[in-house]
Amino acid sequence: MPTRRSTATMKDVALKARVSLATVSRAFAAPGSVSETLTQRIVAAARDLNYTLNVNARSLRSQSSGLVVVLIPDIGNPFFSVLLQGIEEQARALGLAILIGDTHGDRELAATYARLLDTRRADGMILLNGTVPNRAHDGARLSPQRYPVVAISERIPGADIAMVGINNRAAGFEAVAHLAGLGHRRIAHIMGPADNILTHERAQGYREGVLAHGCDLWPEALQPGAFSIRAGRAAMAKLLDGPAPPTAVFAANDEIAIGAIIEAKARGLHVPRDLSVVGFDDIEYAESYDPALTTINQPRREMGRRAMAMLGELITDPDHRQADVNLEYQLVVRASTAPPRVASRKPVSRT
Amino acid sequence: MPTRRSTATMKDVALKARVSLATVSRAFAAPGSVSETLTQRIVAAARDLNYTLNVNARSLRSQSSGLVVVLIPDIGNPFFSVLLQGIEEQARALGLAILIGDTHGDRELAATYARLLDTRRADGMILLNGTVPNRAHDGARLSPQRYPVVAISERIPGADIAMVGINNRAAGFEAVAHLAGLGHRRIAHIMGPADNILTHERAQGYREGVLAHGCDLWPEALQPGAFSIRAGRAAMAKLLDGPAPPTAVFAANDEIAIGAIIEAKARGLHVPRDLSVVGFDDIEYAESYDPALTTINQPRREMGRRAMAMLGELITDPDHRQADVNLEYQLVVRASTAPPRVASRKPVSRT
DNA sequence: TTGTATGCGTTATCAC
DNA sequence: GTGATAACGCATACAA
């Protein structure tokens, strides 16, 4: 007995429960405002008729859809997908549905998705990519005064948008401090892409760490790169080809770190005996890699949850000014870091 | 000059373009049916007024929302997130938006999300978890006659739902064939979770492979497990603790394979010298692992795209019967498999 | 507390 | 081709 697609409307429910249509609406929207008896009759009638609220109609009438747009540069990337998971959990708790948009790092595509705010009357948006879509030809349409927007991880320059993330500079500093504490003096840094905000924050932390601990800071110590294994390998190769290779590397994320380790291994080096590597993010596979990665853990799921919670408040009260939230990061020491074979002031003897 | 939220409606556009409301609607919906001159006037007026179509109103009237629900057991898992990426790409091409639901493997949650088909008048649904939500107390509501539904990867038993995936049995067979070809005779299989359909298909392929190649098939050769690194480790430990450990293992997915390798390494074994391991899925990190994983590549992105394309056809023509689609998989031989140290039937000479 | 009446912005059904 | 007009299903101002 295939149940038919519920075509019953509030009118039907009202008829069956012998109340007015308005009362049915109220019974569902504001449970307290309808008397006990009527509520029971209405609920029973709705059940019998297999009634389902038509959200489209509600959205049209109320001018808000219960939809939240989430803009992600790359869903396939575990870093983002776990963030999304946190967002999803909180959204569900708030009764909001998630409209997903993979921007592939393309601003034009991001703009397309951002338009859902208008066309679908989405209630808000979460940005995971550090850029405001469509700034160029669409001006201030995304200012939080118009639309509730929250950014994750990356501070968006020039936009008054609340953010939840961690202190990347401090984390970078701590990564270097860990290495320096192990005795390393020649520590390189493989950076993320140049147009990324996080890249600069982490690099800044690196610089401060190197300075504070009296480590070397030579011209090639800061290697440009990208958030990928391939880029990590390439940068590590350059570092190793240099006249005085580092004994340790701080990578701007775990994929870079893995790339660096692959390259080191390919050259017969042992990690961490010959080279220590610190990553960033603590993605799933960091723990299972060989060697297990020493890295900075970001509470990704929690970041997603908090961002969604903030957005929720912003939606219910658009005038509420949200302060940025910096969550706790954590240096997780595993097997990819160790004291240098020989302190680097004196020449390193290699077999 | 912050552009105001577009509050202009078709009525405004009609007024400004000096045409009727109906004509404006037609100009956008069926571009061919309105004369050249009027179309131009309408487009111009819409631009001037910064007009945006209100999709909620359209959905209410047309009884369809342009929304597709995607049910995923775990967005954080790279296997699924890349599938999602494929789905997203195709959906964008079709002008559909994706409503995402992470079921966390929970049927109750899945049912909740499936209700979006009713409440939001979603046009269809894609299932990534091998179960039809809400079967228990909601009967045949999800039959494709009522709602366009497509499943990915897992055939859903008892439901007449089109599927796109690969031939898991044949792939399992091929994995064993590869191992047997290398000279292995004692090949174990670490399975996925017992309630998963893929688990049985791959295990069946394993059995047939073992039989066809005259390999051993001892009682503990098939280890129950789950799709996780931890489960892979545990199962490998049992295998290694047995009286006559295998020289090779076919793992039901890459995470299991990684777990198996970790355990083997922890016991001082070398992979692939002492133990060969074949994975399944070819996730991102399979290539970068040490050793790089020999595994079965599933065209995940393409699977997502195809599923969404099929769903699109199903949406435009609900009576169209979609045939299952089996895409090409591929055994990717990398560094985690090698001939056994000593062949179990005949000795293999190794340098 | 409950009922009546109106409108949200579109598409569809008529006519012309 | 184009225009008037009636739904679509619900929320809410107002009246009772």
Side-chain angles (χ1 to χ4, degrees):
Chain A
M1 62 213 76
T3 319
R4 288 192 55 84
R5 175 170 198 144
S6 154
T7 181
T9 125
M10 274 195 181
K11 202 159 96 182
D12 303 322
V13 176
L15 222 62
K16 188 168 176 91
R18 288 163 295 136
V19 297
S20 80
L21 192 155
T23 304
V24 177
S25 176
R26 278 189 282 257
F28 288 124
S33 64
V34 175
S35 71
E36 188 69 23
T37 31
L38 286 196
T39 303
Q40 286 182 359
R41 287 220 312 263
I42 290 168
V43 169
R47 189 169 19 76
D48 292 352
L49 293 171
N50 193 20
Y51 167 74
T52 330
L53 177 71
N54 186 328
V55 179
N56 290 323
R58 161 189 285 180
S59 302
L60 173 58
R61 181 59 230 244
S62 64
Q63 300 287 28
S64 108
S65 58
L67 250 30
V68 169
V69 178
V70 177
L71 253 40
I72 306 190
D74 179 8
I75 319 176
N77 183 321
F79 179 77
F80 292 116
S81 60
V82 172
L83 272 174
L84 179 58
Q85 217 163 22
I87 293 173
E88 193 266 356
E89 284 176 26
Q90 187 63 36
R92 181 155 37 81
L94 295 174
L96 296 167
I98 289 181
L99 229 40
I100 201 173
D102 191 328
T103 66
H104 299 266
D106 179 353
R107 299 174 80 93
E108 210 46 54
L109 214 48
T112 302
Y113 279 116
R115 265 190 278 280
L116 293 174
L117 285 171
D118 283 324
T119 61
R120 298 229 178 233
R121 297 295 188 267
D123 295 337
M125 179 162 69
I126 294 184
L127 262 26
L128 298 190
N129 55 349
T131 53
V132 178
N134 224 9
R135 284 184 75 75
H137 57 288
D138 231 355
R141 296 188 61 181
L142 284 178
S143 72
Q145 288 83 344
R146 312 253 131 261
Y147 299 105
V149 180
V150 172
I152 294 188
S153 187
E154 307 185 17
R155 155 146 317 294
I156 294 179
D160 183 23
I161 293 179
M163 181 210 75
V164 29
I166 66 165
N167 186 334
N168 284 279
R169 216 178 37 142
F173 185 96
E174 193 166 330
V176 173
H178 165 65
L179 258 10
L182 250 24
H184 293 276
R185 285 295 169 269
R186 207 161 169 81
I187 304 168
H189 177 45
I190 306 181
M191 300 188 285
D195 59 354
N196 189 288
I197 303 155
L198 299 176
T199 296
H200 301 294
E201 295 181 0
R202 292 174 192 170
Q204 186 55 29
Y206 161 80
R207 274 192 216 92
E208 293 173 8
V210 164
L211 254 47
H213 295 87
C215 300
D216 296 357
L217 186 52
W218 67 108
E220 294 79 23
L222 276 123
Q223 282 290 330
F227 289 140
S228 71
I229 295 178
R230 176 188 302 269
R233 250 198 107 149
M236 191 70 238
K238 280 198 182 170
L239 249 14
L240 259 19
D241 284 338
T247 62
V249 169
F250 164 43
N253 83 346
D254 287 343
E255 296 180 70
I256 293 177
I258 289 176
I261 293 176
I262 290 177
E263 180 63 24
K265 282 184 178 175
R267 294 174 179 234
L269 297 179
H270 183 273
V271 178
R273 212 179 327 117
D274 303 314
L275 179 77
S276 284
V277 178
V278 177
F280 207 112
D281 287 350
D282 196 15
I283 59 175
E284 247 67 43
Y285 295 90
E287 185 182 358
S288 311
Y289 203 69
D290 185 10
L293 249 49
T294 293
T295 185
I296 303 284
N297 176 277
Q298 293 202 63
R300 293 176 285 163
R301 192 175 309 251
E302 178 63 14
M303 285 161 70
R305 273 198 285 252
R306 285 294 282 276
M308 188 63 235
M310 284 169 68
L311 186 61
E313 293 172 24
L314 229 40
I315 287 172
T316 51
D317 176 15
D319 294 327
H320 185 65
R321 307 243 34 81
Q322 290 282 8
D324 288 358
V325 172
N326 267 319
L327 297 176
E328 293 292 317
Y329 61 89
Q330 200 179 356
L331 172 73
V332 182
V333 178
R334 289 198 274 246
S336 66
T337 50
R341 209 165 197 167
V342 191
S344 48
R345 300 277 189 216
K346 336 157 192 171
V348 174
S349 67
R350 300 197 68 251
T351 45
Chain B
M1 59 215 78
T3 319
R4 288 192 57 85
R5 175 171 198 142
S6 153
T7 182
T9 126
M10 273 194 182
K11 202 159 96 183
D12 303 323
V13 176
L15 222 61
K16 188 170 177 90
R18 288 164 293 134
V19 296
S20 80
L21 173 61
T23 304
V24 178
S25 174
R26 276 190 285 257
F28 288 124
S33 64
V34 175
S35 71
E36 188 68 25
T37 33
L38 286 197
T39 303
Q40 286 182 0
R41 285 217 316 258
I42 290 168
V43 169
R47 189 169 18 76
D48 292 352
L49 293 171
N50 193 20
Y51 168 74
T52 329
L53 177 71
N54 186 329
V55 177
N56 290 322
R58 159 188 287 179
S59 302
L60 172 59
R61 181 63 233 235
S62 65
Q63 301 287 29
S64 108
S65 58
L67 250 30
V68 169
V69 178
V70 177
L71 254 39
I72 306 190
D74 180 7
I75 319 176
N77 183 322
F79 179 76
F80 292 116
S81 59
V82 173
L83 271 174
L84 179 58
Q85 217 164 23
I87 294 173
E88 193 265 356
E89 285 177 25
Q90 187 64 35
R92 182 155 36 83
L94 295 174
L96 296 166
I98 289 181
L99 230 38
I100 202 174
D102 190 329
T103 66
H104 299 263
D106 179 354
R107 298 174 82 92
E108 211 46 54
L109 214 48
T112 302
Y113 279 117
R115 265 190 279 280
L116 292 175
L117 284 172
D118 283 326
T119 61
R120 298 225 178 239
R121 296 296 188 268
D123 294 338
M125 181 162 67
I126 294 184
L127 263 27
L128 298 191
N129 56 349
T131 54
V132 177
N134 224 10
R135 284 185 75 75
H137 57 286
D138 232 354
R141 296 188 60 182
L142 284 179
S143 73
Q145 287 83 349
R146 315 251 131 263
Y147 299 103
V149 179
V150 172
I152 294 189
S153 185
E154 306 185 16
R155 153 143 321 293
I156 295 178
D160 184 21
I161 293 179
M163 182 210 74
V164 30
I166 67 163
N167 187 333
N168 284 279
R169 216 178 37 142
F173 185 96
E174 194 167 329
V176 172
H178 165 65
L179 258 9
L182 250 23
H184 293 275
R185 286 297 168 267
R186 208 163 169 80
I187 303 169
H189 177 44
I190 305 181
M191 299 188 286
D195 60 354
N196 189 288
I197 303 155
L198 299 177
T199 296
H200 301 294
E201 296 181 0
R202 292 174 192 171
Q204 186 55 28
Y206 161 81
R207 272 192 217 91
E208 293 174 6
V210 164
L211 255 48
H213 294 88
C215 299
D216 297 357
L217 187 52
W218 67 108
E220 295 78 24
L222 276 124
Q223 282 290 330
F227 289 140
S228 70
I229 294 177
R230 175 188 302 269
R233 249 199 107 148
M236 192 70 238
K238 281 197 180 171
L239 249 15
L240 258 19
D241 285 338
T247 61
V249 170
F250 164 42
N253 82 347
D254 287 342
E255 295 179 69
I256 294 177
I258 289 175
I261 293 175
I262 290 177
E263 180 64 23
K265 282 184 179 176
R267 293 173 179 236
L269 297 178
H270 182 272
V271 179
R273 212 179 326 117
D274 303 313
L275 179 76
S276 284
V277 177
V278 177
F280 207 112
D281 287 350
D282 196 15
I283 58 174
E284 247 67 44
Y285 296 91
E287 185 182 359
S288 312
Y289 203 68
D290 185 9
L293 249 49
T294 293
T295 186
I296 303 285
N297 176 277
Q298 293 203 62
R300 293 177 283 164
R301 193 176 307 251
E302 178 63 15
M303 284 161 70
R305 272 197 286 251
R306 286 294 282 274
M308 187 63 236
M310 283 169 68
L311 186 61
E313 292 173 24
L314 230 39
I315 287 172
T316 51
D317 177 15
D319 294 327
H320 185 66
R321 307 249 24 86
Q322 289 284 6
D324 287 357
V325 172
N326 268 319
L327 297 177
E328 294 292 318
Y329 61 87
Q330 199 180 357
L331 173 72
V332 182
V333 178
R334 288 198 273 246
S336 66
T337 51
R341 207 164 200 165
V342 193
S344 11
R345 301 279 188 212
K346 2 175 176 168
V348 172
S349 68
R350 301 196 67 252
T351 45

